Amino acid sequence: MDRYNLILNHPEYLKRLKKLRQLEQDRVFCRHDITHSLDVARIMYIISLEKKYNIDKDIIYATALLHDTGRIEQYNDNIPHNLASVKIAQSILSDCRYSDSEIEEICVAICKHRKKTQVRSRLTELLFSADKLSRLCFECKAEKECYWDKELKNNNIIY
């Protein structure tokens, strides 16, 4: 079994998906569900292939699946989700047979995925870009109320 499928079936990951679904049930903006995570993973993988980055699919999918797991702490305790996600990812990745160096690489990307100025590795670049490209602002009913900068919004198909 691919290691990212171990993540997908990890009890802590499943618990967090369920809790996040509850917390975002009435959210009018983009949700941070499994569909978003898989969209991010697929976009990351496509860009990686096109740019010939040669990043393992297991690393890409693990990064995308785990990058928003800290949203619960952001909603409940006002902790930035990227920082909370790193702590969660470390434990889950360790349980799912990722090496220490892979865990470090994934956690750095998760930690730095929120701001373009923090992009330093190819994995971080992919996560930052795919996270934004996955959003369909051009069809969003709440686009006018969205807090994203106009330059970040996908009002066209961008790729």
Side-chain angles (χ1 to χ4, degrees), residues 93-149:
L93 290 165
S94 181
D95 289 348
C96 295
R97 303 190 320 250
Y98 286 82
S99 71
D100 289 345
S101 63
E102 290 171 327
I103 293 170
E104 175 69 18
E105 179 183 19
I106 291 166
C107 287
V108 166
I110 291 171
C111 183
K112 295 183 176 187
H113 84 274
R114 293 187 66 196
K115 295 182 180 175
K116 188 170 189 157
T117 57
Q118 292 186 329
V119 174
R120 289 191 172 54
S121 72
R122 288 180 171 177
L123 188 63
T124 306
E125 172 197 327
L126 289 174
L127 181 56
F128 174 83
S129 297
D131 195 28
K132 306 303 177 261
L133 290 169
S134 70
R135 300 308 190 174
L136 305 177
C137 303
F138 55 83
E139 75 163 9
C140 180
K141 294 174 186 158
E143 188 271 333
K144 300 269 190 255
E145 295 83 38
C146 182
Y147 58 86
W148 269 19
D149 289 334

Side-chain angles (χ1 to χ4, degrees), residues 143-158:
E143 188 271 333
K144 300 269 190 255
E145 295 83 38
C146 182
Y147 58 86
W148 269 19
D149 289 334
K150 188 175 181 174
E151 296 79 39
L152 289 177
K153 290 181 183 178
N154 294 327
N155 289 314
N156 298 296
I157 296 173
I158 301 169

